[in-house]
Amino acid sequence: GQQVMQIPQYQHVQEGEDFTTYCNSSTTLSNIQWYKQRPGGHPVFLIQLVKSGEVKKQKRLTFQFGEAKKNSSLHITATQTTDVGTYFCGYGGSQGNLIFGKGTKLSVKP
Amino acid sequence: DTGVSQDPRHKITKRGQNVTFRCDPISEHNRLYWYRQTLGQGPEFLTYFQNEAQLEKSRLLSDRFSAERPKGSFSTLEIQRTEQGDSAMYLCASSLAGVGAGYTFGSGTRLTVV
């Protein structure tokens, strides 16, 4: 069945460095969402991508949806300690629910 | 509206006991979801409702799990005869129906089965 691979599983960066996480699927996705979960917290919705090749920005965060709608990325420019957490991608399941990847855990060294 | 509320925040129970969790979604949201999350993993889908109808239930979900949303507002998730493997964070989320509507998650109920 449809599933996504999120890479890397962990990323350790120095504050000020950039960070990218990828969500890759073997099949075409109808849409993809990104969430951030702070340590000890719950997932918080960041963005939704629907169109092929779509790019959206939120301040230092850039989200992309691949032309073939099989992959997506989240890029953070100049990380800050407030960016610490786990970033999940989620895609629409066949029954209307959202299926999540395993996440990329980001740690930022000040 | 204060967002999605879950009760209790923590539950410790002995193996074999039944437990029930409650979720109060955002009032304007007609969809309500239950997920389970263990350490280092993404949220795992359990079931979801649109209004009072349960539309989908994960094939991985044991018959010991049951969920209700009797009036299309709050929902309960019951686990019967709990096992140690049921220990996890149980997350509730709500959203509007529609393609790709973002989910609003509650803070979760952390279940520990001893």
Side-chain angles (χ1 to χ4, degrees), chain B residues 1-88:
Chain B
D1 200 330
T2 56
V4 178
S5 300
Q6 291 189 245
D7 183 69
R9 292 293 304 272
H10 305 273
K11 178 70 176 179
I12 300 174
T13 191
K14 291 184 178 180
R15 191 172 49 188
Q17 297 294 304
N18 298 345
V19 294
T20 300
F21 310 141
R22 175 179 172 126
C23 172
D24 286 88
I26 291 174
S27 55
E28 296 83 10
H29 288 178
N30 53 359
R31 284 197 174 176
L32 185 149
Y33 310 83
W34 285 99
Y35 283 82
R36 176 172 61 190
Q37 188 175 30
T38 53
L39 197 62
Q41 300 295 315
E44 176 191 16
F45 171 72
L46 295 179
T47 188
Y48 89 98
F49 295 83
Q50 180 156 316
N51 301 314
E52 65 274 12
Q54 188 172 15
L55 294 190
E56 180 68 8
K57 188 175 174 180
S58 170
R59 286 169 295 173
L60 302 174
L61 203 59
S62 159
D63 289 345
R64 297 182 297 104
F65 287 70
S66 63
E68 293 183 343
R69 195 182 182 197
K71 296 182 179 178
S73 56
F74 74 92
S75 176
T76 57
L77 177 68
E78 181 184 16
I79 309 174
Q80 295 181 328
R81 305 181 302 282
T82 52
E83 302 172 356
Q84 286 190 321
D86 297 332
S87 295

Side-chain angles (χ1 to χ4, degrees), chain A residues 9 31 33 35 37 42-43 45 48 88 95-102, chain B residues 31 35 37 41-43 45 48 56 91 99-103 105-107:
Chain A
Q9 189 175 1
N31 63 80
Q33 297 183 8
Y35 289 75
Q37 185 171 22
H42 55 275
F45 175 70
Q48 173 196 265
F88 294 100
Q95 300 298 327
N97 57 310
L98 204 59
I99 300 170
F100 289 89
K102 294 192 174 184
Chain B
R31 284 197 174 176
Y35 283 82
Q37 188 175 30
Q41 300 295 315
F45 171 72
Y48 89 98
E56 180 68 8
L91 292 165
V99 175
Y103 290 13
F105 280 88
S107 298

Side-chain angles (χ1 to χ4, degrees), chain A residues 42-61:
Chain A
H42 55 275
V44 174
F45 175 70
L46 295 177
I47 204 106
Q48 173 196 265
L49 304 171
V50 179
K51 299 177 183 175
S52 167
E54 190 169 14
V55 178
K56 288 189 177 180
K57 293 191 176 184
Q58 289 179 351
K59 297 182 181 178
R60 295 180 294 104
L61 277 60

